[in-house]
Amino acid sequence: MVEIAHSEFILGGQRSGKSRRAESLARQWLDGAPARQAVLIATGQPWDDEMRERIARHQRDRAERVPGMVTVEEPIALADALHAGSTPHTLVVVDCLTLWLTNLLMPAAGEAVDVEAPRLALCRAIAAAPGPVVLVGNEIGLGVIPLGREVRAFVDALGGLNQAVAAACQRVTLMAAGLPLTLKDSS
């Protein structure tokens, strides 16, 4: 059993076990005392049929693995949702920061926003949260350098977001093949 940190950032590649670890921590939190609650802030949006099915599958799987965890969908105002959902007896899971950044930089309608202010607001919300926070995000900077300017800009922005969130969190865990590797633990 892993001690739950006040704030943990779980990152890794696709299908590395990030969400499973976050769900496991939420389940452990809920099992620790009857008055505890868990909230998932989901940032994904159903852009197309494949994404709608992916979201539905995640909802079904999560309901089985962590019954009782409430889901709040918030694709943009993440810091506000974290403020609203966090209490001393509530663990908040944010899944995932990569989709949140995508929503900011590549909105379905409208113009991209400067990510500096939302990133700072998120880091302040993590520090101010009265209860534990678990954040999930992708590490995509380990591969080849993307060819397109927009993709390179996204990889750079995600790298900056990951560094800021890692600095704001007490624990940082890298997932690979379902296995956690602790990169930072100041809890």
Side-chain angles (χ1 to χ4, degrees), residues 82 90 102 126 175:
L82 183 52
T90 304
T102 301
I126 293 166
M175 296 297 297

Side-chain angles (χ1 to χ4, degrees), residues 41 43 74-86 92 94 97 100 104 116-130 133 135:
I41 301 174
T43 62
E74 181 46 66
I76 302 293
L78 187 53
D80 292 341
L82 183 52
H83 279 301
S86 184
V92 177
V94 176
L97 294 180
W100 175 65
L104 294 174
E116 184 65 22
R119 181 174 69 192
L120 290 172
L122 174 62
C123 290
R124 284 193 296 270
I126 293 166
V133 179
L135 303 110

Side-chain angles (χ1 to χ4, degrees), residues 36-47:
R36 289 181 175 175
Q37 299 176 321
V39 173
L40 171 86
I41 301 174
T43 62
Q45 296 185 79
W47 299 302

Side-chain angles (χ1 to χ4, degrees), residues 106-165:
M106 300 172 217
E111 299 234 355
V113 300
D114 180 11
V115 298
E116 184 65 22
R119 181 174 69 192
L120 290 172
L122 174 62
C123 290
R124 284 193 296 270
I126 293 166
V133 179
V134 177
L135 303 110
V136 175
N138 288 61
E139 174 54 71
I140 64 172
L142 299 172
V144 298
I145 298 171
L147 292 176
R149 180 179 60 83
E150 292 85 8
V151 179
R152 283 191 303 274
F154 180 81
V155 171
D156 290 347
L158 183 59
L161 174 62
N162 286 349
Q163 288 183 46
V165 171

Side-chain angles (χ1 to χ4, degrees), residues 9-152:
F9 181 30
I10 304 168
L11 72 159
Q14 251 182 291
R15 307 297 299 165
S16 63
K18 302 178 304 292
S19 294
R20 281 268 173 128
R21 177 174 172 83
E23 291 170 358
S24 175
L25 292 171
R27 181 66 185 252
Q28 180 181 328
W29 171 260
L30 289 170
D31 290 346
R36 289 181 175 175
Q37 299 176 321
V39 173
L40 171 86
I41 301 174
T43 62
Q45 296 185 79
W47 299 302
D48 55 32
D49 289 340
E50 185 274 334
M51 191 63 173
R52 279 187 280 284
E53 175 52 37
R54 181 179 290 262
I55 290 170
R57 185 176 62 250
H58 278 282
Q59 290 169 338
R60 287 189 305 271
D61 292 347
R62 199 168 37 251
E64 287 179 24
R65 288 191 291 262
V66 193
M69 183 158 64
V70 175
T71 299
V72 173
E73 295 182 15
E74 181 46 66
I76 302 293
L78 187 53
D80 292 341
L82 183 52
H83 279 301
S86 184
T87 73
H89 301 290
T90 304
L91 179 140
V92 177
V93 174
V94 176
D95 198 353
C96 90
L97 294 180
T98 310
L99 288 174
W100 175 65
L101 183 65
T102 301
N103 297 335
L104 294 174
L105 291 176
M106 300 172 217
E111 299 234 355
V113 300
D114 180 11
V115 298
E116 184 65 22
R119 181 174 69 192
L120 290 172
L122 174 62
C123 290
R124 284 193 296 270
I126 293 166
V133 179
V134 177
L135 303 110
V136 175
N138 288 61
E139 174 54 71
I140 64 172
L142 299 172
V144 298
I145 298 171
L147 292 176
R149 180 179 60 83
E150 292 85 8
V151 179
R152 283 191 303 274

